[in-house]
Amino acid sequence: MSAMKLLLTDLVSGVNHVPSNYVRPIADRPNLKEVEKSEGSNGIPVIDLRDLYGPNHANVITQIGLACQHHGFFQVKNHGVPEKMIENVLRIASEFFRLPESERLKNYSDDPSKTTRLSTSFNVKTEKVSNWRDFLRLHCYPLQNYVHEWPTNPPSFREEVAEYCSSVRGLVLRLLGAISESLGLDRDYIDKQLGNHGQHMAMNYYPPCPEPELTFGLPGHTDPNLITILLQDDVPGLQVLHNGKWVAVNPIPNTFIINIGDQMQVISNDRYKSVLHRAVVNSDKERISIPTFYCPSPDAVIGPAPELINDEDNRPAVYRKFTYQEFYDKFWNRGLATECCLDMFKA
């Protein structure tokens, strides 16, 4: 047996089966035959943001509100992030994961509190079954606090990824305004709940897998943050739970997939739902996905918006107030258990 490999990418080159620590218990496998296509009433809505600030503003706000309420996921086009920037960041991610092992490992850490780290699976220290992915995770707001820790290889990594982060943050702020409005709150309400704001991103690398029906890239989980902006390459893998069935969300070029995270569910007092989603792998193509996680700063106090609580109307506060730090610590320590962390914060 060769020396232990820290990263999946370096382990898989020689295997024709899934190593036992990646094999899920039978009851917890992807069951790929039972996955629905994203179409008709299962379809994840595609929302055109071109009119967000135009005469059609009210209509776009309504569409966003319905998507948050009924799906927890939607796709956006004409989102304002330049096509070239999207191509660049996907190319950089793919170049990064192709670097020689020794070069990649300069960024390795299994400590979830590190703000820039390359790792594998989810939380190597606490989990029982490993997940079929490697990932590079970066903090990216405020940029000047973190860019100096980022990889310097590929050579344009810092410059291109920083540009992408700033552009995506602009999109997030536009969406937060729209989501606030859709809840009947002031446009800047959510923005003002987030303290100094936080932004992280991951570059997820899912190598081809010889037995994709035995394992997950990531098992079903909800996102602990406020809102997630997902960029995926052209290889399918994302699945979302809708009306009790897993639905495959196939990539549409130059769109982002937006999903509501746990903090948004809290602020909306359960009107908007943070939805279970997962990543499956396949046997012939590697897949790259690049989520941006927008969140409150750790000291921000999160709770239901007072305007959405009404005791007479039978809409009491569903959650108590808590700091984001408290929530986030529970999330990383519990690992990706299917039941959402939110239950621990009920009022």
Side-chain angles (χ1 to χ4, degrees), residues 59-270:
N59 181 15
V60 179
I61 299 293
T62 304
Q63 287 179 51
I64 287 174
L66 288 168
C68 292
Q69 214 171 336
H70 298 299
H71 291 269
F73 267 78
F74 55 97
Q75 307 183 65
V76 293
K77 60 181 189 183
N78 295 314
H79 43 63
V81 179
E83 205 169 315
K84 192 81 197 117
M85 225 176 252
I86 289 176
E87 278 169 25
N88 287 345
V89 78
L90 282 167
R91 189 197 71 245
I92 289 270
S94 145
E95 288 173 4
F96 176 84
F97 287 105
R98 285 206 192 98
L99 291 169
E101 181 180 20
S102 57
E103 186 59 36
R104 273 177 288 122
L105 284 173
K106 291 175 182 172
N107 306 284
Y108 183 84
S109 167
D110 60 9
D111 173 3
S113 67
K114 280 199 69 164
T115 50
T116 300
R117 66 189 187 105
L118 174 68
S119 195
T120 191
S121 190
F122 175 71
N123 187 347
V124 197
K125 291 178 170 172
T126 59
E127 64 202 3
K128 293 182 182 64
V129 184
S130 301
N131 302 298
W132 200 263
R133 73 158 186 164
D134 288 338
F135 64 93
L136 176 66
R137 207 175 160 110
L138 310 168
H139 282 229
C140 32
Y141 183 79
L143 270 168
Q144 67 275 11
N145 295 3
Y146 300 111
V147 173
H148 66 273
E149 316 173 341
W150 291 1
T152 47
N153 201 357
S156 61
F157 187 100
R158 290 181 177 180
E159 186 187 350
E160 306 221 37
V161 175
E163 269 187 358
Y164 174 80
C165 289
S166 302
S167 188
V168 168
R169 179 167 187 264
L171 170 60
V172 168
L173 297 177
R174 293 193 292 281
L175 287 168
L176 293 184
I179 292 170
S180 285
E181 277 188 63
S182 73
L183 286 165
L185 304 167
D186 290 345
R187 185 182 287 184
D188 62 358
Y189 179 82
I190 295 174
D191 186 314
K192 285 188 165 146
Q193 305 310 304
L194 308 179
N196 298 323
H197 292 222
Q199 181 181 345
H200 312 169
M201 75 188 280
M203 293 179 169
N204 292 321
Y205 178 73
Y206 301 101
C209 175
E211 300 168 292
E213 59 290 337
L214 298 183
T215 191
F216 284 110
L218 278 175
H221 64 284
T222 63
D223 289 353
N225 49 293
L226 177 75
I227 189 172
T228 301
I229 313 289
L230 177 72
L231 172 61
Q232 33 177 7
D233 66 8
D234 53 1
V235 180
L238 173 68
Q239 300 181 349
V240 174
L241 194 64
H242 184 61
N243 295 336
K245 295 222 159 74
W246 289 104
V247 176
V249 185
N250 290 338
I252 305 173
N254 287 306
T255 60
F256 288 103
I257 294 175
I258 313 296
N259 70 283
I260 295 305
D262 294 344
Q263 308 313 303
M264 192 74 82
Q265 181 166 331
V266 171
I267 290 171
S268 76
N269 203 30
D270 264 359

Side-chain angles (χ1 to χ4, degrees), residues 35-56:
V35 172
E36 314 263 322
K37 289 192 173 64
S38 175
E39 58 194 17
S41 62
N42 278 333
I44 304 279
V46 179
I47 298 176
D48 188 339
L49 295 184
R50 180 175 289 155
D51 289 341
L52 185 54
Y53 297 122
N56 214 358

